[in-house]
């Protein structure tokens, strides 16, 4: 609900005086939209940002007396204003940050004026912290971009403008601060506002409202400045009180309900719960469940206080369907006549947030709305210099880099371009090992539509093929250092299986590099691609019923897990040929360690490239205590039972 | 759309009876939707979640939201009360009834070491909170193998909370490292954990104290009577007004005497550590009106925050909720 709504005007949130009359919004829209306005502030401590925020909250009357007392004490101890109230300290939450005198993370603060509740995200302007600003902007309805009037539009200002546009924040306010240092000069203000407006047009950012301010003194923050009588526009608070929220725009779009949770408390009830991303839903509505595309009819909109006649964008709902259909977490219930697209290859913008750089080709977990899938990113098409918006060639993305990439998911997902729909277009990437969120992304478009690729259903099933051979398919994945004994043991296993009348095939690391993978080198990215290809080949062979023996250094846990995930549960056996580095190096069968130590061989596993041993291998062979013959015997016994 | 308007009006009429301004409903609806989304998301992605239930107003709101989120089923997780044996009698009285009404299991954990050593707030100072609450919580989470714990903390309570994530990762050993928190974008929450890691989840992150009271009023929630002013036996100590909830367990210092004062509480913890405020606000409408005139913030009366600057941040790195 917007504050302009007639119902809203009946009672102010804080303090006494009635809010000024404003043009009533369209009442039906206003009744359904949540009124909480989310704000992101962009700027640095130098621009007086923390002071502006502190002043805004203080002048709204949202600080309690004891908070003011604490602020006064903090100002004496840590302040930079000679004992006067230093509003910047209100937001410096963590003691480590206070000592450094900078805010290094996103802080959120709720406050209210007489008309509206606000939630403000404070992200630092320091250049290495792009990730914090992107985080704060991702949920913002409005961005306040701060400029120091004495310094004018700077590189940093343009960077903020670009990030606001990238994250699709619909409204921007240009706060031209420190007007006292510019002699309250209207020409200076107009020049800055004009310069930024031109830049905004260039990058496709909606024209911002510019406001001249003096934050420490409060000019044009909440009260109108007497020192800048020439300015006739709104104060900062007035502007914030009239910006519409994101959910209002979402209400006008078709129904999208990402299914979050399926409730089955009893056999005759199945409820689909989720946060309504756009549109509205009512009993009797025809819907389509994506990605399957199955049609259904909404039966009820369930709520604890009694069924609702309708629900709207921005509300958490539970619906039931009239038909018994297949619908689970990750599916999207959508308007039947206007469903979203389904695809598995995309172009996207990526903001890298991980400490370790992007490894193209490595599988990551992707979360988009309620869908969780495996995704791989191709080497970037380009990286952006966000200060000049130049496109730079790049092989990877590091912390705080922004690039454009192609991305593939392991199965088709329901999506919309981010510019149209934040919920179905915004995603995060999660590292499979550390479980950290390493990137935020925004889908641009699908590179090919999923409905154009068909999986040819084969009449002869993999089970039938295996049955004919009288065996269960397996992939025996040998991993270990170079010279550990993988090929030797794998060969023995192959021979023994063959002698027992089993159909097996040996894929050897050295051999595939003569053909299938001869275009690949030994960088991390090439090693990942090498294993992906071998994994796919092993999978096809397993589909044909074979026992596949694969002997590869395969140094990274993530890729071994990727191959495991390609196969039905239990078919992949990880066999760790455990030979200590000193022992492998002592044997040095191929003379490679000597070369690597002499610096004539780069990226050699164990020497200048890491090996990640399996945490819990299915079979572990200690070659310092087990002979190759014993090892092979053990492996064959293990798989044939 | 008309139907929705009628619903809104009906809710408004009910709320007006207890003095909730109509302007609040819009943003209360938004906060409610966000909290329910968080509760459902964590339940969908985590193996074994639990809700910390401390019997305060925030717990009351959080439990109510959980009931709404999973209706018609009961919330699919138990409640955990980390008991210090020093909570107000009124709180113990309400605890079991609230869990029963919600149809969820209630787990009560008391740190056996603290019990054996007779740790109490009068003799042991900060050790009381460290052992009963911080250690007690870690023990309970480990013992039951919970991988995610919902808590009612809000970002407006205290400065170090303002930067806390909604889904906050704790390293093995339950330590909080403010520098290693995951970025949180859109309404996407990363609920994955590496071995040994656990999550703390704060569905009320974006609520303020006033939002909580408006919501208690709008939804007609029952809260502990201690939030409402009444004449109660008190002593003044170290600048705080303490309520003598159990005279047998409260040794008086020389010169102290028990005085009946009309007081209420903004925030409830262990009774010897919870400072009361002098107040005449005896009803929900009075409490809201008092807060809108408000001159003190909520944790003002909490003794444990004031032990040293950045006290809360240090406690959190050690595993305090």
């Amino acid at each position: 609900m917007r504050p302009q709504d007639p119902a809203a005007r009946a009672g102010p949130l804080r303090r006494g005086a009635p809010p000024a009359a404003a043009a009533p919004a369209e009442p039906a829209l206003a009744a359904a939209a949540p009124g909480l306005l989310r704000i992101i502030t962009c700027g640095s401590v130098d621009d007086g940002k923390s002071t502006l925020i502190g002043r805004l909250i203080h002048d709204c009357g949202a600080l309690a007396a004891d908070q003011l007392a604490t602020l006064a004490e903090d100002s004496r101890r840590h302040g930079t204003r000679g004992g006067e109230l230093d509003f910047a300290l209100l937001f410096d939450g963590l003691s480590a940050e206070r000592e450094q005198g900078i805010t290094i993370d996103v802080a959120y603060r709720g406050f209210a004026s007489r008309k509206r509740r606000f939630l403000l995200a404070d992200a630092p302007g320091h250049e290495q912290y792009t990730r914090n600003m992107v985080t704060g902007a991702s949920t913002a309805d409005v961005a306040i971009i701060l400029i120091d009037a004495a310094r004018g539009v700077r590189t940093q200002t343009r960077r903020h403008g670009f990030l606001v546009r990238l994250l699709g924040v619909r409204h921007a306010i240009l706060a031209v601060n420190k007007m006292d240092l510019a002699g309250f000069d209207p020409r200076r203000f107009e020049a800055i506002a004009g310069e930024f407006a031109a830049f905004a047009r260039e990058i496709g950012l909606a024209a911002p409202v510019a406001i001249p301010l003096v934050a420490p003194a409060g000019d044009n923050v909440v009260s109108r400045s007497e020192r800048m009588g020439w300015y006739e526009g709104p104060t900062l608070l007035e502007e914030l009180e009239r910006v519409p929220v994101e959910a209002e725009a979402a209400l006008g779009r078709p129904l999208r309900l990402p299914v979050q949770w399926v409730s089955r408390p009893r056999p005759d009830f199945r409820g689909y719960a989720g946060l309504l991303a756009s549109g509205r839903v009512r009993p009797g509505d025809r819907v389509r469940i994506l990605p399957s595309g199955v049609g259904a009819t909404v039966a009820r909109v369930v709520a604890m206080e009694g069924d609702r006649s309708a629900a709207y964008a921005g509300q958490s709902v539970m619906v039931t369907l009239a038909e018994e259909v297949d619908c689970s977490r990750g599916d999207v219930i959508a308007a039947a006549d206007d469903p979203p697209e389904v695809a598995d290859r995309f172009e996207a913008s990526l903001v890298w947030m991980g400490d370790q750089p992007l490894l193209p080709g490595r599988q990551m977990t992707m979360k988009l709305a309620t869908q969780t899938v495996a995704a791989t990113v191709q080497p970037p098409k380009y990286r952006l210099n966000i200060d000049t918006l130049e496109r730079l060639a790049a092989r990877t993305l590091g912390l705080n880099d922004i690039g454009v990439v192609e991305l593939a998911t392991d199965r088709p997902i329901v999506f919309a371009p981010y510019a149209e729909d934040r919920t179905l277009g915004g995603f995060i990437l999660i590292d499979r090992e550390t479980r950290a969120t390493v990137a935020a992304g925004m889908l641009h478009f699908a590179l090919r539509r999923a409905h154009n690729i068909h999986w040819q259903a084969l009449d002869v099933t993999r089970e039938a093929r295996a049955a004919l051979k009288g065996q269960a398919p397996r992939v025996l994945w040998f991993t270990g250092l170079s010279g550990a004994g993988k090929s030797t043991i794998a060969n023995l296993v192959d021979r023994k299986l063959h002698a027992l009348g089993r159909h097996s095939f040996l894929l050897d690391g050295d051999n595939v590099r003569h053909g299938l993978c001869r275009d690949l080198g030994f960088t991390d990215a090439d090693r990942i691609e090498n294993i992906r290809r071998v994994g796919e080949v092993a999978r096809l062979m397993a589909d044909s019923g074979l026992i596949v023996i694969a002997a590869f250094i395969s140094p990274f846990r993530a890729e071994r897990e990727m191959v495991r995930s390609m196969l039905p549960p239990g078919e992949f056996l990880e066999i760790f040929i455990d030979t200590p580095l000193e022992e492998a190096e002592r044997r040095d069968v191929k003379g490679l360690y000597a070369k690597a130590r002499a610096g004539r061989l780069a990226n050699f596993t164990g020497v200048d490239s890491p090996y990640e041993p399996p945490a819990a291998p299915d079979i572990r062979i200690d070659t310092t205590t087990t002979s190759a013959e014993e090892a092979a015997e053990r492996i064959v016994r293990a798989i044939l039972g | 759309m008309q139907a929705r308007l009628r619903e809104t009006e009906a809710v408004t009429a009910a709320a007006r009876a207890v003095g909730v301004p109509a302007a609040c409903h819009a943003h209360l609806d938004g906060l409610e939707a966000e909290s329910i989304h968080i509760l459902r998301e964590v339940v969908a992605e985590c193996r074994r979640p639990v809700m910390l239930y401390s019997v305060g107003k925030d717990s009351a709101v959080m439990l109510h939201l959980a009931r709404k989120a999973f209706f018609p089923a009961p919330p699919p997780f138990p409640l955990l009360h980390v008991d210090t044996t020093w909570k107000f009698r009124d709180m113990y009285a309400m605890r079991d009834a609230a869990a029963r009404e919600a149809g969820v299991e209630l787990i009560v954990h008391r740190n056996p070491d603290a019990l054996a050593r007779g740790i109490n707030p009068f003799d042991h100072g900060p050790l009381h909170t460290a052992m009963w609450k911080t250690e007690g919580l870690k023990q309970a989470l480990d013992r039951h193998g919970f991988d995610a714990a919902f808590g009612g903390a809000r970002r407006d309570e205290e400065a170090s909370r303002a930067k806390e994530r909604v889904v906050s990762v704790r390293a093995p050993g339950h330590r909080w490292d403010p520098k290693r928190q995951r970025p949180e974008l859109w309404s996407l929450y990363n609920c994955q954990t590496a071995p040994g890691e656990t999550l703390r989840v704060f569905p009320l992150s974006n609520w303020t104290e006033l939002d909580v009271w408006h919501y208690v009023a709008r939804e007609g929630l029952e809260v502990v009577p201690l939030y409402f002013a009444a004449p109660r036996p008190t002593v003044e100590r170290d600048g705080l007004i303490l309520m003598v909830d159990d005279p047998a367990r409260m040794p008086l210092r020389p010169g102290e005497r028990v005085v009946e004062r009309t007081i209420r509480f903004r925030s409830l913890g262990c009774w010897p550590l919870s400072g009361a405020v002098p107040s005449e606000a005896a009803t929900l409408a009075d409490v809201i009106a008092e807060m809108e005139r408000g001159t003190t913030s909520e944790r003002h009366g909490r003794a444990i925050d004031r032990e040293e600057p950045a006290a809360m941040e240090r406690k959190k790195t050690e595993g305090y909720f």
Side-chain angles (χ1 to χ4, degrees):
Chain A
M1 194 188 296
R2 292 171 58 169
Q4 291 92 333
D5 178 59
R9 275 194 260 134
L13 237 182
R14 280 191 77 88
R15 308 286 156 91
E26 203 262 291
L29 280 180
L36 181 72
L37 187 82
R38 292 170 197 256
I39 308 168
I40 168 90
T41 53
C42 326
S44 71
V45 176
D46 302 339
D47 304 321
K49 183 185 55 165
S50 299
T51 306
L52 176 65
I53 296 165
R55 189 81 220 190
L56 177 64
I57 294 175
H58 174 265
D59 290 3
C60 282
L63 287 182
D66 66 319
Q67 285 175 314
L68 275 170
T70 306
L71 176 62
E73 185 180 336
D74 284 357
S75 298
R76 270 190 300 279
R77 272 210 261 174
H78 306 282
T80 54
R81 305 196 162 266
E84 273 185 61
L85 285 190
D86 186 349
F87 290 106
L89 295 175
L90 278 175
F91 262 96
D92 280 358
L94 303 185
S95 58
E97 298 172 22
R98 274 191 201 173
E99 281 153 26
Q100 295 163 18
I102 51 159
T103 316
I104 56 166
D105 208 325
V106 195
Y108 294 87
R109 168 138 327 187
F111 68 100
S113 72
R114 287 186 288 110
K115 291 190 193 172
R116 195 169 209 179
R117 246 295 252 125
F118 301 100
L119 181 66
L120 193 145
D122 180 25
H126 199 279
E127 54 190 290
Q128 64 196 101
Y129 294 115
T130 297
R131 98 173 189 173
N132 294 333
M133 204 196 120
V134 166
T135 301
S138 72
T139 50
D141 300 299
V142 59
I144 300 174
I145 299 172
L146 208 62
I147 290 192
D148 179 337
R151 298 209 256 180
V153 176
R154 291 186 298 149
T155 300
Q156 177 194 270
T157 320
R158 279 188 282 269
R159 183 188 310 151
H160 293 153
F162 171 71
L163 292 177
V164 165
R165 211 276 290 146
L166 182 74
L167 271 293
V169 183
R170 283 170 203 278
H171 302 273
I173 297 172
L174 190 69
V176 183
N177 193 23
K178 302 193 187 180
M179 282 299 293
D180 51 338
L181 301 182
F184 303 105
D185 181 359
R187 281 163 307 177
R188 177 73 185 148
F189 171 71
E190 292 300 337
I192 291 170
E195 186 183 349
F196 189 80
F199 172 70
R201 263 195 307 279
E202 192 186 315
I203 61 169
L205 176 70
V209 172
I211 305 172
L213 302 161
V214 183
D219 294 61
N220 286 337
V221 176
V222 169
S223 10
R224 192 153 283 283
S225 171
E226 288 172 12
R227 300 187 282 184
M228 289 179 278
W230 45 265
Y231 173 71
E232 291 174 340
T235 63
L236 179 60
L237 180 64
E238 283 167 357
E239 184 60 20
L240 290 174
E241 283 177 337
R242 68 186 192 195
V243 171
V245 298
E246 181 78 19
E248 287 181 53
L251 199 53
R253 298 200 301 264
L255 167 68
R256 303 284 184 261
L257 173 59
V259 176
Q260 197 182 9
W261 170 257
V262 180
S263 174
R264 296 201 63 183
R266 39 176 211 265
D268 63 336
F269 182 93
R270 198 184 289 197
Y272 305 99
L275 182 64
L276 208 51
S278 62
R280 59 172 185 183
V281 62
R282 291 187 298 195
D285 282 354
R286 284 296 297 167
V287 295
R288 200 177 289 281
I289 295 153
L290 277 293
S292 73
V294 172
T297 315
V298 175
R300 297 169 55 195
V301 180
V302 180
M304 194 163 82
E305 53 277 8
D307 279 12
R308 296 188 201 170
S309 52
Y312 302 88
Q315 296 181 328
S316 277
V317 301
M318 184 179 291
V319 300
T320 64
L321 301 174
E323 300 82 0
E324 273 201 25
V325 290
D326 203 13
C327 181
S328 51
R329 176 174 164 85
D331 289 348
V332 177
I333 297 177
D337 55 358
D338 196 354
E341 288 181 74
V342 175
D344 64 358
R345 286 182 69 94
F346 309 91
E347 185 188 278
S349 287
L350 215 57
V351 182
W352 195 256
M353 298 181 164
D355 295 331
Q356 302 299 318
L358 161 74
L359 264 181
R362 161 148 314 170
Q363 218 169 44
M364 290 176 280
T365 300
M366 175 183 186
K367 198 169 171 189
L368 182 145
T370 58
Q371 303 170 95
T372 303
V373 296
T376 49
V377 174
Q378 298 303 305
K381 291 181 160 177
Y382 56 86
R383 181 171 72 78
L384 272 178
N385 176 334
I386 57 169
D387 295 337
T388 60
L389 303 185
E390 255 180 302
R391 296 175 175 192
L392 308 172
R395 292 181 154 196
T396 180
L397 297 173
L399 180 62
N400 290 313
D401 280 349
I402 297 174
V404 170
V405 299
E406 281 185 17
L407 172 137
T409 55
D410 68 339
R411 57 192 167 83
I413 58 170
V414 187
F415 85 102
Y418 182 79
E420 292 169 19
D421 184 341
R422 274 181 170 181
T423 306
L424 287 181
F427 62 91
I428 55 172
L429 295 176
I430 299 169
D431 184 276
R432 298 204 138 181
E433 188 91 17
T434 65
R435 321 293 164 111
T437 303
V438 292
M442 287 136 287
L443 295 179
H444 299 171
F445 48 80
L447 292 166
R448 78 179 174 206
R449 280 171 179 65
H451 48 79
N452 291 338
I453 28 163
H454 296 284
W455 184 259
Q456 181 62 50
L458 304 179
D459 291 338
V460 181
T461 63
R462 70 194 307 276
E463 289 74 22
R465 291 178 203 279
L468 191 63
K469 298 180 180 67
Q471 62 187 32
R474 288 280 181 275
V475 173
L476 310 181
W477 192 274
F478 288 66
T479 175
L481 292 168
S482 175
K486 296 182 298 298
S487 296
T488 310
I489 301 171
N491 249 308
L492 282 172
V493 171
D494 198 24
R495 270 170 47 188
K496 285 177 189 290
L497 289 172
H498 188 77
L500 290 166
R502 306 297 164 137
H503 302 263
S504 61
F505 190 84
L506 176 59
L507 287 167
D508 184 83
D510 286 338
N511 296 356
V512 297
R513 283 190 178 270
H514 287 104
L516 178 67
C517 301
R518 83 172 150 214
D519 55 327
L520 299 177
F522 291 88
T523 62
D524 286 355
D526 281 356
R527 285 178 188 276
I528 292 170
E529 175 60 14
N530 185 45
I531 298 305
R532 189 193 68 79
R533 289 185 199 175
V534 171
E536 291 287 356
V537 170
R539 183 172 67 127
L540 289 173
M541 289 183 164
D543 279 351
S544 75
L546 295 179
I547 296 170
V548 186
I549 303 161
F552 292 83
I553 297 173
S554 47
F556 305 128
R557 237 169 259 145
E559 280 63 57
R560 298 193 298 264
E561 284 311 304
M562 171 179 74
V563 179
R564 185 191 294 275
S565 71
M566 289 176 183
L567 291 152
E571 270 187 28
F572 179 91
L573 290 176
E574 186 175 42
I575 301 169
F576 179 27
I577 306 302
D578 190 0
T579 304
L581 179 63
E582 315 78 69
E583 176 60 20
E585 193 163 354
R586 193 189 56 75
R587 295 179 197 160
D588 205 2
V589 199
K590 302 171 196 162
L592 296 174
Y593 284 95
K595 266 195 195 169
R597 291 290 180 199
R600 286 183 289 123
L601 195 57
N603 299 321
F604 193 73
T605 301
V607 178
D608 59 347
S609 185
Y611 178 77
E612 301 170 359
D618 298 288
I619 298 172
R620 178 177 162 273
I621 303 292
D622 179 351
T623 65
T624 60
T625 58
T626 315
S627 73
E629 180 62 35
E630 286 163 358
E633 196 52 46
R634 215 181 110 198
I635 293 163
V636 170
R637 268 203 315 276
I639 62 159
L640 298 183
Chain B
M1 293 276 176
Q2 281 308 313
R4 169 65 192 171
L5 271 181
R6 276 199 299 280
E7 268 175 51
T8 306
E9 281 157 14
V11 174
T12 309
R16 207 171 281 132
V18 286
V20 180
C24 295
H25 292 300
H27 83 259
L28 288 181
D29 285 344
L31 290 169
E32 179 188 76
E34 179 183 69
S35 301
I36 288 175
H37 174 74
I38 294 162
L39 287 161
R40 287 171 172 169
E41 198 62 14
V42 170
V43 164
E45 295 218 330
C46 292
R47 194 172 31 81
R48 188 154 159 71
V50 66
M51 178 172 280
L52 291 208
Y53 183 74
S54 67
V55 213
K57 61 186 187 305
D58 306 301
S59 287
V61 166
M62 193 165 57
L63 180 57
H64 183 70
L65 289 165
R67 295 179 65 187
K68 283 192 160 192
F70 299 100
F71 178 87
F77 43 74
L79 301 183
L80 170 64
H81 183 224
V82 180
D83 188 15
T84 64
T85 71
W86 289 91
K87 300 292 176 188
F88 291 90
R89 280 171 302 167
D90 276 357
M91 296 170 77
Y92 290 115
M94 206 182 128
R95 182 187 66 191
D96 300 0
R100 208 168 32 244
E101 198 193 322
V104 291
E105 181 198 356
L106 172 72
I107 298 169
V108 176
H109 181 82
R110 294 182 200 91
N111 180 351
D113 305 336
L115 199 62
R117 289 173 57 185
I119 300 295
N120 70 75
F122 298 117
D123 301 324
H124 300 101
L127 190 63
H128 170 77
T129 303
M131 288 208 53
W132 282 113
K133 296 184 76 174
T134 309
E135 279 309 309
L137 172 65
K138 293 188 205 171
Q139 287 169 353
L141 295 179
D142 290 343
R143 181 159 142 197
H144 296 276
F146 295 122
D147 58 341
F150 295 110
R154 290 174 279 110
R155 283 167 171 161
D156 77 327
E157 283 178 71
E158 203 272 337
S160 81
R161 298 254 197 230
K163 300 183 179 198
E164 178 62 286
R165 302 297 192 268
V166 170
V167 175
S168 179
V169 191
R170 298 299 143 101
H174 303 281
R175 287 189 71 88
W176 182 61
D177 179 355
K179 291 197 183 338
R180 291 210 56 85
Q181 292 299 309
R182 299 163 176 174
E184 252 167 19
L185 295 104
W186 300 291
S187 49
L188 291 173
Y189 300 100
N190 177 352
C191 301
Q192 301 200 2
T193 45
E197 288 180 344
T198 53
L199 302 177
R200 304 291 180 275
V201 183
F202 305 104
L204 305 185
S205 283
N206 292 328
W207 296 56
T208 62
E209 186 188 10
L210 193 57
D211 294 331
V212 166
W213 281 116
H214 279 144
Y215 193 73
V216 165
R218 186 179 91 166
E219 305 286 309
L221 305 184
E222 195 187 344
V223 292
V224 182
L226 296 161
Y227 288 114
F228 305 111
R232 295 183 169 105
T234 63
V235 294
E236 204 172 331
R237 179 178 292 179
D238 303 332
L240 297 179
I241 300 172
L242 299 180
M243 176 176 159
V244 185
D245 194 54
D246 182 355
R249 291 205 293 172
M250 175 129 188
L252 292 183
R253 293 179 188 168
E256 280 182 348
R257 61 193 184 89
V258 178
V259 178
E260 193 177 85
R261 290 182 173 91
T262 301
I263 53 154
R264 71 179 199 89
F265 292 87
R266 296 275 296 272
S267 171
L268 292 171
C270 294
W271 59 264
L273 297 172
S274 298
V277 288
S279 168
E280 298 294 328
T283 66
L284 200 46
D286 294 345
V287 165
I288 290 172
E290 182 186 278
M291 203 158 323
E292 287 180 342
R293 289 190 305 273
T295 52
T296 52
S297 67
E298 184 181 13
R299 292 191 76 93
H300 179 69
R302 289 286 197 108
I304 65 162
D305 296 352
R306 303 205 296 187
E307 287 155 11
E308 57 176 273
M312 175 64 86
E313 187 179 339
R314 190 181 50 75
K315 282 194 173 55
K316 283 182 66 179
T317 60
E318 287 163 5
Y320 180 75
F321 215 86

